[in-house]
């Protein structure tokens, strides 16, 4: 194995450790790179709308080649997208995509920021976007990001001058950035922010342009480039054994739920940015040209630079601890800087370097992965000095309690120090995502604490400050309390330490459909967050519904154990809908949250607290058939939704499909994006079509139009046509067709209450064998007739639909259930 391969593998191992929340352990190449970054005093902010919008090539270039402090401001957390790796959508998907962004920044070297904007789904124009978002609040968040990050350079991913040509969120992000560029430096704007920060005026604003925005490479070649800068972002980093583009590809590949896994690339590549505002740079190869990015930028920085430039020039890759005296001297000078902004940034950076040069390891690992407020937890400590420098642990301090415990331990070289302390959690709040703590709306999350706005995560609930004396210099290092343990089949595992409720409740189904007046047993799962917990559970139901018993008791001895309490719920006599919620009561204290844990290998474990409730729908619905085969694509909750109305749903893996294997099903449904994600389906399509030919119904849900062939029985061409307005008028083109009449009569009011959109990726070209059923369109657009197409094929029916059933059924939309039941029940003699 050659040296470059070893370096590459080492990088991946370190990166993987970062994702698993293992402590950062820097090799000397990485320490040296941090010294280089320490000696660059310049910042760049990259602005776009969603996770995966960011140009990781440019972020990686700025962070690793230029050495600039670089951040990505994503206005949303991507809550409105699709999920290729699991069933989580909406706010839970936003939690996953937040962590994937942090994983990407852990690779490309950037930082991550957000606004309070909620990704409500695809938007065709910024007018719609800024109407659903609270424009003033999102604009204030962009201003806040600029004032707190204080970038010299801002780079927009999208063009603010071309509304209506791309996703409305995209254009809006650029428009807001252009406006905020001037507002951030105006002390009369968003004055409430100035209690926490100062105004800031960036030097210049750019648009990260390319040939794509000009329609073709030929058009871009002819474009006026007098206001454009360009540079080669394909540079090679010998210290990493990677090119910038390889680094960027690995970063992009962290967006797994969006299907962004990709090959690494190498070699020369030109990146372009167009100057928009501010002062034009003197050097068109350098976005920071003319900006002082040396230590002389700050008062008192010259003496610091004299020390640190020498460390960089004469860095000892074999024995970096030799630089500790110089680093400690520079650290003391940094702490005396008058510029509070750069003082905070550079003090944190140099402390990381000092820790790494000293081989200093500090850990605070809780005995349990969670605890409840006002309880206590035992924490195991490990402190190790692997240098020959004189070092003492003088004390440890709990944060935020500010409780100090004296230690006075001489940290001898390579002699591990272990001890245990009990930590009180009095007054500590839950550690779940801060933007999900209060009720939010379609366009905005509710965050009232100004200092939380923009943060990627809730600050960890408990931290420990290790107060040390290194070579007679006092210095402190703050570490999160974590949970470290091992499993025989997985090895060492690091997890976040969480503060969670004493008890949580869970309703298994988030939508419960009552197809008639028959009562249903509703199970409430009670989970204990502490030992020896007992109390009562009640289930609140809408007016006109009844529940028995009124309350039920529970008792749980062991933390983490569960009890199931059953209630009988009887719906109203007529069609209605509402919400039920479960509430546990312990000694007069109520607990109404459900604990949702998300645990994928590529991101840290996430613990989310949401209201423990479910939508209930009393629905007059008829259906035919019982047994449904479901072929999952990228993952959705449609199978469980169909079980709610009495179908027996069997999930069928594409690999298992053989001749006649589908014959026992009354209908077969193909999940969303199945042909995009399950390549084996192209080899199994003959069996699906044979099933249709022999009299079966196959319903194929939407696929994206990118390099995919759904292999329909007749010509069918997918497009990017979509209707994003969930309230858009729906016209019935085939009023007599069985799909609209049997066994349920579909009327216009069945399209009321839809969420997020009508549908997406409709076909726009099809052969005469298909019958279009519906027509719909967004404001100002031509009618789209491809949302639901039905074709006779042999004795059966082939149905293709881009209607967003994968959103509507889990949301409990009555009309969507009725229409889907009709698709499943379609018979030969009902086609008109």
């Amino acid at each position: 194995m050659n040296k470059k391969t070893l370096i590459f593998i080492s990088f991946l191992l370190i990166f993987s450790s970062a994702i698993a929340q293992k402590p950062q352990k820097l090799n000397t190449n990485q320490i040296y790179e941090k010294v280089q970054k320490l000696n660059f005093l310049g910042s760049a902010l990259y602005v776009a709308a969603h996770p995966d919008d960011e140009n990781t090539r440019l972020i990686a270039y700025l962070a690793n080649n230029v050495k600039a402090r670089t951040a990505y401001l994503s206005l949303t957390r991507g809550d409105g997208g699709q999920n290729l790796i699991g069933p989580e959508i909406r706010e839970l998907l936003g939690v996953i995509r937040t962590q994937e962004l942090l994983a990407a920044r852990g690779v490309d070297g950037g930082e991550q920021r957000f606004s309070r904007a909620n990704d409500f789904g695809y938007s065709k124009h910024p007018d719609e976007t800024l109407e659903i978002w609270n424009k003033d609040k999102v604009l204030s968040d962009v201003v806040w990001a600029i004032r707190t990050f204080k970038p010299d350079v801002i780079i927009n991913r999208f063009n603010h001058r071309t509304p209506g040509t791309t996703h409305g969120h995209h254009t809006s992000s650029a428009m807001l950035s252009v406006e905020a560029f001037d507002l951030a430096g105006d002390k009369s704007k968003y004055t409430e922010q100035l209690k926490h920060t100062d105004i800031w005026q960036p030097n210049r604003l750019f648009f990260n342009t390319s040939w794509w925005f000009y329609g073709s490479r030929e058009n871009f070649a002819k474009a006026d480039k007098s206001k454009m800068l360009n540079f080669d972002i394909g540079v090679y980093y010998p210290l990493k054994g990677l090119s910038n583009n390889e680094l960027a590809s690995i970063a992009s590949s962290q967006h797994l739920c969006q299907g962004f896994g990709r090959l690494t690339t190498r070699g020369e590549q030109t990146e372009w940015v167009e100057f928009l505002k501010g002062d034009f740079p003197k050097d068109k190869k350098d976005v920071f040209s003319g900006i002082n990015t040396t230590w002389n930028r700050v008062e008192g920085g010259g003496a610091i630079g004299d020390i640190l430039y020498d460390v960089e020039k004469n860095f000892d890759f074999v024995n970096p601890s030799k630089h500790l005296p110089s680093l400690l001297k520079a650290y003391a000078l940094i702490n005396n800087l008058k510029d509070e902004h750069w003082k905070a940034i550079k003090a944190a950076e140099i402390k990381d370097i000092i820790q790494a040069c000293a081989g200093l390891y500090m850990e605070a690992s809780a005995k349990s992965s969670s605890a409840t407020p006002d309880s206590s937890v035992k924490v195991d400590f490990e402190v190790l000095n692997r240098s020959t420098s004189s070092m003492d642990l003088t004390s440890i301090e709990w944060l935020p309690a500010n409780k100090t415990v004296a230690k006075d331990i001489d940290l001898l070289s390579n002699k591990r120090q272990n001890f245990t302390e009990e930590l009180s959690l009095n007054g500590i709040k839950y550690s779940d995502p801060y933007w999900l703590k209060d009720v939010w709306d379609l366009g905005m999350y509710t965050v009232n604490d100004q200092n939380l706005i923009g943060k990627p995560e809730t600050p960890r609930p408990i931290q420990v400050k290790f107060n040390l004396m290194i070579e007679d210099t006092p210095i402190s290092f703050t570490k999160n309390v974590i949970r470290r343990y091992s499993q025989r089949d997985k090895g060492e595992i690091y997890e976040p330490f969480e503060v969670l409720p004493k008890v949580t409740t869970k309703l298994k189904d988030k939508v419960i459909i009552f197809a008639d007046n028959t009562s249903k047993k509703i199970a409430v799962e009670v989970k204990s967050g502490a030992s020896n917990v007992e109390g009562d559970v009640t289930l609140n139901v809408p007016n006109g519904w009844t529940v028995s018993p009124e309350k039920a008791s529970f008792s749980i001895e062991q933390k983490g154990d569960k009890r199931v309490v059953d209630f009988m719920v009887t719906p109203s006599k007529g069609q209605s809908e509402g919400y039920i919620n479960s509430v546990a009561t312990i000694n007069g204290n109520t607990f109404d949250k459900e604990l949702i844990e998300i645990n994928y290998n590529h991101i840290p474990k996430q613990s989310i607290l949401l209201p423990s409730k479910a939508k209930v729908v009393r629905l007059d619905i008829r259906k035919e058939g019982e047994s449904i085969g479901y072929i999952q694509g990228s993952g959705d909750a449609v199978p469980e939704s169909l079980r709610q109305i009495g179908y027996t749903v069997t999930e069928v893996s594409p690999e298992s499909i053989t001749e006649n294997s589908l014959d026992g099903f009354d209908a077969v449904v193909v999940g969303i994006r199945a042909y995009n994600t399950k390549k084996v389906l192209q080899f199994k399509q003959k069996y699906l079509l044979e099933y249709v030919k022999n009299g079966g119904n196959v319903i194929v849900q939407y696929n994206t139009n990118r390099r995919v062939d759904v292999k329909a029985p007749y010509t069918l061409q997918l497009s990017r046509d979509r209707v994003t307005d969930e309230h858009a008028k729906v016209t019935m083109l085939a009023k007599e067709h069985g799909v609209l009449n049997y066994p349920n009569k579909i009327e216009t009011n069945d399209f009321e209450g839809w969420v997020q959109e009508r549908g997406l990726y409709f076909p726009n070209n099809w052969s005469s064998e298909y019958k279009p059923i519906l027509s719909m369109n967004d404001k100002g657009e031509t009618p789209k007739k491809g949302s639901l197409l039905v074709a006779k094929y042999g004795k059966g029916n082939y149905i293709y639909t881009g209607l967003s059933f994968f959103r509507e059924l889990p949301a409990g939309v009555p009309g969507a259930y009725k229409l889907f039941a009709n698709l499943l029940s379609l018979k030969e003699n009902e086609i008109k």
Side-chain angles (χ1 to χ4, degrees):
M1 187 178 291
N2 62 41
K3 184 176 181 181
K4 180 178 176 180
T5 305
L6 282 170
I7 293 172
F8 181 69
I9 292 173
S10 173
F11 170 79
L12 290 180
L13 287 173
I14 291 167
F15 159 67
S16 298
S17 297
I19 291 213
Q21 289 215 336
K22 292 184 179 179
Q24 191 177 43
K25 301 172 185 177
L26 304 178
N27 60 41
T28 51
N29 285 359
Q30 293 168 311
I31 297 172
Y32 177 69
E33 289 179 311
K34 282 188 173 289
V35 172
Q36 291 179 307
K37 203 172 185 73
L38 180 64
N39 283 332
F40 189 94
L41 280 71
S43 302
L45 181 66
Y46 197 88
V47 181
H50 310 108
D52 73 34
D53 282 347
E54 78 272 27
N55 182 347
T56 54
R57 299 184 306 273
L58 186 50
I59 290 174
Y61 177 85
L62 292 170
N64 295 277
N65 186 266
V66 179
K67 306 300 181 185
R69 180 173 178 247
T70 308
Y72 173 41
L73 171 59
S74 176
L75 295 192
T76 76
R77 296 175 186 267
D79 329 75
Q82 283 86 51
N83 184 359
L84 286 180
I85 62 173
E88 297 89 357
I89 57 174
R90 293 302 304 146
E91 64 275 359
L92 296 181
L93 177 60
V95 172
I96 294 173
R97 298 189 73 186
T98 294
Q99 292 301 317
E100 290 182 341
L101 273 174
L102 289 171
R105 301 294 80 78
V107 176
D108 61 32
E111 301 176 28
Q112 187 60 51
R113 299 289 178 98
F114 292 99
S115 81
R116 289 171 289 178
N118 190 344
D119 178 2
F120 57 83
Y122 192 85
S123 173
K124 293 181 177 178
H125 199 281
D127 288 350
E128 179 196 35
T129 299
L130 297 174
E131 182 179 340
I132 294 176
W133 289 350
N134 183 317
K135 179 189 174 183
D136 186 66
K137 287 185 178 180
V138 182
L139 179 59
S140 76
D141 290 356
V142 180
V143 170
W144 172 254
I146 295 171
R147 286 175 172 175
T148 53
F149 188 75
K150 302 190 185 308
D152 303 298
V153 173
I154 298 176
I155 304 175
N156 292 341
R157 183 68 180 106
F158 299 105
N159 192 346
H160 67 287
R161 298 160 295 197
T162 55
T165 60
T166 183
H167 197 320
H169 297 183
H170 293 169
T171 310
S172 295
S173 71
M175 293 169 63
L176 293 170
S177 175
V178 170
E179 192 170 350
F181 180 85
D182 295 319
L183 295 178
D186 187 341
K187 64 181 180 181
S188 69
K189 305 298 182 183
Y190 302 112
T191 55
E192 70 280 359
Q193 296 180 2
L194 302 181
K195 301 173 185 176
H196 311 279
T197 189
D198 299 319
I199 61 171
W200 180 257
Q201 183 56 59
N203 291 70
R204 53 192 67 135
L205 174 67
F206 296 98
F207 158 46
N208 186 193
T209 190
S210 72
W211 67 265
W212 188 87
F213 292 97
Y214 286 76
S216 70
R217 297 181 187 277
E218 292 75 20
N219 288 342
F220 187 58
K222 300 173 188 175
D224 178 10
K225 297 184 178 62
S226 60
K227 291 188 176 182
M228 294 186 191
L229 283 68
N230 72 89
F231 26 83
D232 177 16
I233 58 164
V235 294
Y236 177 66
Y237 302 126
L239 292 173
K240 298 181 188 293
L242 294 168
S243 70
N244 187 75
N245 284 344
E246 286 176 301
L247 199 65
S249 296
I250 297 169
S252 292
S253 290
Q254 305 317 305
H255 296 295
L256 294 184
C257 71
Q258 283 297 99
F260 262 57
R262 60 184 58 183
L263 290 171
T264 57
T265 59
R266 288 149 291 279
E268 181 183 17
Q269 184 171 352
T270 301
E271 194 72 42
W272 295 85
V273 294
E274 177 189 353
F275 174 77
L276 298 177
K277 278 189 174 186
D279 61 285
F280 193 83
K282 298 176 182 177
D283 182 355
K284 294 180 70 173
K285 297 289 183 183
D286 180 8
V287 295
F288 285 95
S289 175
I291 299 171
N292 186 355
T293 59
T294 71
W295 275 104
N296 287 323
R297 174 175 189 156
V298 294
E299 183 181 347
I304 299 170
D306 290 341
I307 297 169
L308 294 179
Y309 294 135
D310 183 70
V311 171
E312 179 180 347
K313 181 179 178 181
N314 299 293
F315 188 77
D316 191 329
F317 287 84
V318 176
N319 180 26
S321 65
K322 68 176 284 187
H323 299 296
L324 283 173
S326 295
L327 292 168
L328 290 166
K329 183 178 179 181
Y331 168 71
L333 293 174
I334 289 172
N335 278 335
N336 289 326
L337 288 175
K338 295 179 180 178
D339 188 318
E340 293 295 332
H341 175 70
W342 284 113
K343 174 182 174 179
I345 293 169
K346 294 305 176 181
E349 288 181 2
I350 199 169
K351 286 204 292 185
D352 285 345
I353 296 168
I354 290 170
Q355 180 183 341
C357 286
L360 178 59
Y361 185 84
M362 295 162 288
E363 179 180 280
S365 175
K367 295 282 191 182
S368 173
S369 60
S370 69
T372 62
D374 300 322
S375 67
S376 61
V377 62
K378 288 186 177 180
V379 179
D380 291 331
F381 288 83
E382 179 179 337
V383 186
L384 177 62
N385 167 26
R386 287 172 286 194
S387 72
T388 58
S389 296
S390 170
M391 197 176 301
D392 293 283
L393 175 64
T394 59
S395 64
I396 57 172
E397 184 178 351
W398 306 121
L399 301 175
N402 294 318
K403 179 183 177 182
T404 302
V405 179
K407 285 299 174 185
D408 194 23
I409 298 174
D410 187 3
L411 299 178
L412 301 176
S413 179
N414 211 33
K415 184 174 177 61
R416 186 176 68 242
Q417 298 291 334
N418 295 97
F419 53 90
T420 300
E421 297 286 346
E422 188 163 351
L423 168 62
S424 172
L425 301 181
N426 288 337
I428 303 299
K429 297 180 180 179
Y430 299 144
S431 54
D432 59 320
Y434 71 86
W435 64 96
L436 300 179
K437 288 181 183 288
D438 295 315
V439 176
W440 61 90
D441 59 34
L442 177 64
M444 295 293 294
Y445 285 112
T446 302
V447 182
N448 296 315
D449 185 341
Q450 183 67 52
N451 288 311
L452 284 176
I453 292 173
K455 290 184 181 296
E457 301 179 281
T458 302
R460 290 287 87 201
I462 302 296
Q463 295 179 314
V464 174
K465 183 187 289 187
F466 294 81
N467 298 315
L468 285 82
M469 188 73 71
I470 303 178
E471 298 290 354
D472 297 322
T473 299
I475 187 169
S476 297
F477 300 90
T478 302
K479 302 291 180 181
N480 294 326
V481 173
I482 50 85
R483 166 65 171 154
R484 179 170 70 99
Y485 64 101
S486 67
Q487 289 184 357
R488 295 182 65 179
D489 59 339
K490 293 182 179 179
E492 189 175 56
I493 299 172
Y494 283 76
E495 287 182 353
F497 172 75
E498 307 285 10
V499 176
L500 301 171
K502 184 174 291 187
V503 66
T504 55
T505 63
K506 176 182 179 181
L507 292 157
K508 177 185 174 185
D509 299 312
K510 301 311 173 207
V511 173
I512 304 170
I513 306 296
F514 291 77
D516 52 35
N517 290 329
T518 304
S519 301
K520 279 190 177 185
K521 183 170 70 174
I522 305 298
V524 177
E525 180 185 274
V526 183
K527 183 177 181 179
S528 176
S531 297
N532 301 314
V533 172
E534 59 182 40
D536 298 319
V537 181
T538 56
L539 189 63
N540 301 317
V541 299
N543 290 334
W545 296 56
T546 60
V547 59
S548 177
E550 290 186 2
K551 67 178 179 179
S553 62
F554 67 88
S555 177
I556 306 176
E557 293 182 2
Q558 293 185 340
K559 175 182 176 180
D561 202 359
K562 303 172 184 177
R563 294 288 182 271
V564 176
V565 179
D566 293 328
F567 295 89
M568 292 300 296
V569 173
T570 304
S572 61
K573 292 183 179 180
Q575 184 163 311
S576 67
E577 56 187 273
Y579 289 90
I580 60 175
N581 69 291
S582 55
V583 180
T585 303
I586 302 174
N587 297 326
N589 297 313
T590 58
F591 300 86
D592 60 356
K593 300 294 186 183
E594 174 188 353
L595 172 62
I596 302 167
E597 295 180 327
I598 299 176
N599 203 359
Y600 290 103
N601 289 334
H602 69 299
I603 60 174
K605 180 180 178 182
Q606 299 296 298
S607 299
I608 303 105
L609 297 172
L610 293 178
S612 181
K613 68 177 184 177
K615 184 176 182 179
V616 288
V617 180
R618 165 66 176 92
L619 178 63
D620 291 320
I621 189 170
R622 299 174 179 83
K623 64 183 182 64
E624 286 202 2
E626 296 294 335
S627 181
I628 306 299
Y630 201 91
I631 303 169
Q632 278 283 14
S634 62
D636 58 60
V638 172
E640 186 54 42
S641 299
L642 298 180
R643 294 184 184 107
Q644 287 275 354
I645 55 174
Y647 284 106
T648 299
V649 182
T650 302
E651 296 196 33
V652 179
S653 69
E655 292 81 4
S656 70
I657 299 174
T658 59
E659 186 176 8
N660 302 321
S661 67
L662 302 175
D663 289 352
F665 296 118
D666 296 309
V668 173
V669 182
V670 182
I672 62 173
R673 298 173 76 167
Y675 291 89
N676 295 119
T677 60
K678 309 290 186 182
K679 301 305 180 185
V680 69
L681 266 181
Q682 63 183 310
F683 305 112
K684 302 294 184 174
Q685 186 71 2
K686 58 186 177 183
Y687 302 124
L688 278 169
L689 294 182
E690 189 66 22
Y691 166 78
V692 178
K693 200 171 185 179
N694 291 334
N697 278 356
V698 165
I699 298 105
V700 179
Q701 297 179 84
Y702 96 94
N703 289 264
T704 66
N705 65 336
R706 300 170 189 167
R707 300 181 293 278
V708 69
D709 181 1
V710 297
K711 296 189 177 296
Y714 312 110
T715 301
L716 185 70
Q717 183 177 333
L718 304 185
S719 74
R720 296 184 64 83
D721 286 352
R722 63 200 303 160
V723 176
T724 63
D725 181 0
E726 62 268 37
H727 307 296
K729 180 182 177 181
V730 177
T731 301
M732 299 182 191
L733 300 174
K735 293 182 179 180
E736 304 303 317
H737 198 287
V739 164
L740 298 179
N741 291 279
Y742 185 84
N744 303 287
K745 178 69 174 177
I746 304 300
E747 299 177 313
T748 54
N749 61 4
D750 287 309
F751 293 96
E752 295 176 1
W754 284 50
V755 299
Q756 187 158 326
E757 61 197 353
R758 289 293 189 198
L760 62 171
Y761 291 100
F762 298 162
N764 64 354
N765 183 35
W766 54 85
S767 62
S768 60
E769 288 85 357
Y770 294 98
K771 183 78 170 179
I773 306 298
L774 305 170
S775 175
M776 58 192 72
N777 58 273
D778 283 320
K779 182 180 178 181
E781 294 190 354
T782 58
K784 305 294 184 290
K785 300 180 180 182
S787 64
L788 179 57
L789 302 173
V790 181
K792 194 85 180 106
Y793 184 68
K795 297 179 181 180
N797 305 296
Y798 178 89
I799 302 166
Y800 189 93
T801 179
L803 293 171
S804 59
F805 289 108
F806 74 103
R807 295 195 190 280
E808 312 313 322
L809 298 185
V813 178
Y817 274 92
K818 291 169 64 178
L819 180 56
F820 209 91
N822 284 11
L823 299 181
L824 296 171
S825 305
L826 190 61
K827 302 295 183 183
E828 178 181 0
N829 60 2
E830 278 127 26
I831 294 192
K832 301 269 185 179

